[in-house]
Amino acid sequence: MHVQEWLETVPAVAVYALVGIVIGLESLGIPLPGEIILVSSALLASQHGDIDPVILGACATAGAIIGDSIGYAIGRKGGRPLLAWLGGKFPRHFSEAHIATAERSFQKWGMWAVFFGRFVALLRIFAGPLAGVLHMPYWKFLTANVLGGILWAGGTTAVIYYVGIVAESWLKRFSWLGLVLAVLIGLTSMLVLKRKAKKTAPATAEPAPAPASVGD
């Protein structure tokens, strides 16, 4: 069953909880489709008055911030053995190559890697645990975590919600053509933002010796 079709079958409070939990677990370091759930829920909110987009955005933001913070604490306590364990459990996401790429981004950009990592699927999973493993000062991590969580979760909810409203209005006038154009506008804006984020936190960088801590 399509994600949005399934979401239509559950009450609003369950949608809020699901969004917060899935995004929280993804931010904690577990590979889950947080962005897909968020986008589908925001579209659903634009079509059904039972789901409040403000509450939805708040739940998504809270999940992102709390999940990242838990991931940071686990990473700080577990250290590099944790990354090795995750690599065994999720080799596709936590391969040595992916870890090295994320680590170079953190070494070069510090707290900005946490902030812009929200908009890059790979770094969104790595941000919390890796910042803890590298002993990034918590106040720097928390600042980037909160700002990035608000902009990504809240911003995505708002953009997709209003795209859905516009799409529904156009659909009544121009059939499916309006829906297609509205969705394309929303996807284009998200892709542009992701491309800028990837340029700021490049996926490749020249090898550098791994420091004991970041930003001390």
Side-chain angles (χ1 to χ4, degrees):
M1 184 182 294
H2 191 275
V3 172
Q4 190 168 356
E5 293 177 349
W6 180 80
L7 288 173
E8 291 177 352
T9 66
V10 300
V13 65
V15 174
Y16 301 145
L18 178 68
V19 168
I21 291 172
V22 171
I23 291 178
L25 291 175
E26 182 190 38
S27 300
L28 189 152
I30 299 176
L32 290 175
E35 191 169 54
I36 294 176
I37 294 294
L38 179 58
V39 168
S40 298
S41 299
L43 279 174
L44 185 62
S46 70
Q47 301 165 8
H48 298 273
D50 292 340
I51 300 177
D52 189 327
V54 175
I55 298 177
L56 181 66
C59 290
T61 301
I65 294 172
I66 295 172
D68 243 14
S69 296
I70 295 174
Y72 174 91
I74 294 174
R76 194 174 182 95
K77 184 176 181 179
R80 293 190 177 278
L82 172 65
L83 297 180
W85 180 82
L86 288 172
K89 294 293 184 180
F90 308 104
R92 181 180 176 183
H93 297 86
F94 288 89
S95 65
E96 291 184 6
H98 284 170
I99 292 174
T101 296
E103 188 170 355
R104 286 195 295 268
S105 297
F106 269 71
Q107 290 168 358
K108 186 171 184 179
W109 300 102
M111 63 185 294
W112 290 109
V114 177
F115 177 82
F116 286 106
R118 277 289 169 200
F119 304 92
V120 182
L122 178 63
L123 286 181
R124 187 161 59 244
I125 297 172
F126 275 111
L130 190 55
V133 169
L134 296 177
H135 285 212
M136 176 182 289
Y138 183 68
W139 71 268
K140 287 188 176 183
F141 169 79
L142 183 62
T143 300
N145 178 26
V146 171
L147 294 178
I150 292 174
L151 184 59
W152 175 73
T156 298
T157 301
V159 169
I160 298 301
Y161 174 78
Y162 285 112
V163 165
I165 294 293
V166 172
E168 187 174 14
S169 176
W170 286 6
L171 183 59
K172 291 178 180 178
R173 299 178 183 180
F174 305 107
S175 188
W176 287 98
L177 179 60
L179 177 60
V180 172
L181 291 176
V183 170
L184 286 176
I185 292 173
L187 291 176
T188 300
S189 63
M190 292 179 65
L191 289 174
V192 169
L193 184 57
K194 284 188 175 183
R195 179 169 293 183
K196 289 183 178 180
K198 287 182 179 180
K199 288 181 179 179
T200 304
T204 58
E206 39 302 323
S213 61
V214 175
D216 287 328

